Amino acid sequence: MPSTILAIAAHPGDGLFTMGAAAAQQIRSGGRGVFLSLSLGERGHPKIPPREYGELQRMATEKAAKQLGAKAAFLTYPDGEIPLGDEIRFAVCDQIREYKPGVVLTHWRGSWHKDHQNCHAIVQDAIFYAALPAIARKLPAHSVGRIYFAENWEDMTDFQPDTYLDVSAIYQTWLEACAAFPMWRGETGFRYNDYYRSLAVMRGCLSGFSFAVALMSSPEQREQRLKSL
Ligand SMILES: [Zn+2]
């Protein structure tokens, strides 16, 4: 039985564009998917004021998550100023204990965006806290089975994928869900639509699937313990 995927991103678009197809595939296979965004990405539009854009981003995330059969959750730290510290680590720890994911997807650390770097670090620590029974919170401890890092155009320094996931069955649905975001259509400058739909084609070519998502597993999780090969 496929587990729950918890996709933890700095900004809502990162969650849906870089982790959304994997979450949708998990749901299609009988698992669950949750998108947790650490901010609303409210400062990302050149013309729409942050308060208004944040609400647009929230609505887009909820609409897209619903289309994929997933849940959307938000921690509304300020876009561009996602802090490092125990307050946010414990906030994410509580979300992990609430949704009990088997798999966590998040940003790779090799990013030029400080919110993405911080999200990567926060998630590692939150997974550690969530698993420790001695850390008493409202909910009991939960151990995440695996963590994977998503392929994101802003996080490509030293990104080396080792896992390819076939997302052909949900490719079209995922594209339709992403279209809920103004930024998907290029309104904020970068051509997200063209980039991520082509990326799934390219990763599909390399993996022998029609469409695929490439993920990077955590170096600590690559160890295998075998009695024979
Ligand atoms: Zn971002």
Side-chain angles (χ1 to χ4, degrees):
M1 180 74 184
S3 63
T4 297
I5 284 185
L6 178 59
I8 308 176
H11 312 109
D14 298 307
L16 269 294
F17 306 164
T18 76
M19 309 168 198
Q25 184 58 45
Q26 189 82 349
I27 293 162
R28 173 87 170 206
S29 307
R32 292 196 310 149
V34 180
F35 295 100
L36 172 62
S37 188
L38 303 187
S39 80
L40 291 173
E42 71 276 9
R43 288 167 171 161
H45 200 286
K47 294 194 186 112
I48 305 174
R51 184 180 297 237
E52 195 183 323
Y53 188 56
E55 277 318 300
L56 280 177
Q57 292 263 91
R58 182 195 291 272
M59 284 190 305
T61 309
E62 282 170 351
K63 184 179 173 195
K66 197 172 166 193
Q67 272 178 278
L68 300 178
K71 188 179 160 52
F74 304 92
L75 295 173
T76 50
Y77 292 95
D79 182 12
E81 297 176 69
I82 291 175
L84 280 177
D86 265 345
E87 196 271 334
I88 190 167
R89 291 188 192 105
F90 282 118
V92 175
C93 158
D94 288 346
Q95 296 283 314
I96 292 170
R97 288 186 176 191
E98 180 171 348
Y99 294 112
K100 302 183 184 64
V103 175
V104 164
L105 302 181
T106 194
H107 292 275
W108 171 236
R109 68 165 170 263
S111 183
W112 54 259
H113 197 308
K114 68 190 267 288
D115 281 351
H116 293 197
Q117 291 171 14
N118 286 0
C119 180
H120 173 90
I122 290 159
V123 169
Q124 311 265 353
D125 292 337
I127 287 173
F128 176 72
Y129 285 163
L132 278 184
I135 293 190
R137 305 286 294 172
K138 202 171 74 198
L139 295 168
H142 173 76
S143 287
V144 172
R146 291 188 75 82
I147 180 169
Y148 290 101
F149 308 113
E151 186 166 23
N152 185 318
W153 75 280
E154 292 167 301
D155 306 345
M156 291 309 284
T157 304
D158 298 328
F159 182 83
Q160 293 177 332
D162 52 72
T163 303
Y164 287 82
L165 179 69
D166 181 4
V167 296
S168 310
I170 52 75
Y171 178 70
Q172 285 302 334
T173 315
W174 165 68
L175 290 180
E176 284 161 26
C178 290
F181 288 83
M183 63 192 291
W184 182 252
R185 303 187 287 269
E187 283 188 24
T188 59
F190 186 76
R191 289 158 56 200
Y192 284 91
N193 181 341
D194 284 342
Y195 184 84
Y196 284 108
R197 67 188 170 85
S198 317
L199 187 64
V201 175
M202 182 272 272
R203 290 306 183 186
C205 294
L206 294 176
S207 58
F209 301 121
S210 297
F211 304 99
V213 162
L215 301 167
M216 179 174 174
S217 58
S218 171
E220 297 84 56
Q221 288 178 350
R222 287 192 200 139
E223 188 170 285
Q224 296 189 78
R225 288 157 205 190
L226 310 170
K227 290 215 173 188
S228 66
L229 280 175

